[in-house]
Amino acid sequence: MNLTLVHTSPVHVPVFDALRDADHPGLELRHVVREELLVRAGAEGPEAVTDEVRELLVAAGADGADAVLCTCSTLGAVAEGLAADVGVPVLRVDRPMAARAVAEGERIAVVATVRSTFGPTLDLVEEEARRAGRAVDVRTVFVEGAWELFLAGDRDGYLSLVATAIDGIAEADVIVLAQASLTDAAERAHTTLPVLSSPRPGLDAAASECASAKSA
C-alpha cells in the first residue's frame, strides 16, 4: 500500500513515519514537502495555490499512490476539493479530528499559531456538525508569537507557548489543535479537557483508504 503525504513543513515527516511504524508497518509513505505553499496561502488565501496543489496531487496519483493525505490544515479543503482531478482518494488530515470534536461536545475551542488555518478549520468543524446534526459553538484561540518561534527552529519554545495557551482555555468541552505541528503541546499541558490533534486519526483514515483501494 502506497500513501503520498503532502506537507508544508519538513518537521511532519518524522512524525508520520513514527506513527506508520507504530500503527501501520505495511504502509509505504512518500513525503512531498512544499513550504512555500503555506507562505503564499497565508498571504493570498488558500485558493491562490490551487493549481500548484492540483499538480502535486495529480503527480502523486500518476506515481502510483493509492491515496494522498494533505497534512496542512490551511490547504486541506483545497486538496480535498481536487480529488476528482486525481483519480485516487485525497484526504485532509484534520477531518477525523473534527468529527470527534463534534462528538465530544458543543463548545469547541480551536487553537492555531497561523491565522490562515482558522477559516478552513472552522468550516470543517461546522461541516462535520451539520453532518452529525449537532449544534456547536466554536471559538478561536490564536497563540501570539508562537509561529515566529517555529520558523526560528525553537520547537521547545513553540510547544511551551502553545501549552500555556491550552491551559488558559476555560468554558469549553473540547480543545482542537488545528495544526499538526501543535500535537506535542498536548503532552505539556495540564488541562483536564480533551485535547485533540490530527496526525494519528488522519493517518488511520488514509491507511484505511489505501487498504480499500488495494482490495477493490
Side-chain angles (χ1 to χ4, degrees):
M1 298 186 296
N2 299 317
L3 174 65
T4 295
L5 297 91
V6 176
H7 310 290
T8 52
S9 172
V11 302
H12 301 317
V13 174
V15 172
F16 284 91
D17 279 345
L19 288 174
R20 184 273 316 277
D21 292 345
D23 301 336
H24 307 283
L27 184 64
E28 179 184 343
L29 301 185
R30 301 172 183 172
H31 300 282
V32 178
V33 181
R34 293 287 297 274
E35 295 178 88
E36 74 279 5
L37 293 180
L38 180 57
V39 175
R40 188 175 167 199
E44 304 175 31
E47 295 77 13
V49 297
T50 298
D51 289 343
E52 290 90 335
V53 173
R54 181 185 289 107
E55 290 177 5
L56 289 177
L57 299 178
V58 170
D63 198 34
D66 296 308
V68 183
L69 178 65
C70 178
T71 68
C72 176
S73 299
T74 298
L75 302 183
V78 172
E80 199 177 51
L82 294 169
D85 298 341
V86 183
V88 298
V90 178
L91 298 85
R92 54 186 297 177
V93 73
D94 48 357
R95 184 172 289 282
M97 174 185 67
R100 182 180 167 192
V102 168
E104 288 279 351
E106 296 181 356
R107 301 175 302 168
I108 301 173
V110 177
V111 179
T113 60
V114 177
R115 291 192 186 275
S116 62
T117 301
F118 282 129
T121 303
L122 267 59
D123 288 345
L124 176 62
V125 171
E126 290 168 0
E127 178 185 337
E128 289 296 328
R130 289 192 297 272
R131 181 178 296 179
R134 299 182 60 121
V136 293
D137 178 18
V138 186
R139 66 185 178 95
T140 61
V141 179
F142 179 67
V143 188
E144 194 75 46
W147 191 243
E148 289 75 11
L149 294 175
F150 181 86
L151 294 177
D154 184 359
R155 183 174 180 273
D156 186 67
Y158 176 70
L159 295 175
S160 293
L161 202 57
V162 173
T164 298
I166 292 172
D167 286 335
I169 296 172
E171 299 182 357
D173 298 314
V174 59
I175 298 170
V176 167
L177 302 182
Q179 298 150 242
S181 63
L182 306 179
T183 300
D184 289 343
E187 298 178 0
R188 303 185 179 210
H190 302 289
T191 182
T192 58
L193 297 173
V195 181
L196 308 183
S197 59
S198 61
R200 174 165 264 123
L203 185 62
D204 288 345
S208 294
E209 285 288 354
C210 287
S212 296
K214 280 298 186 184
S215 62

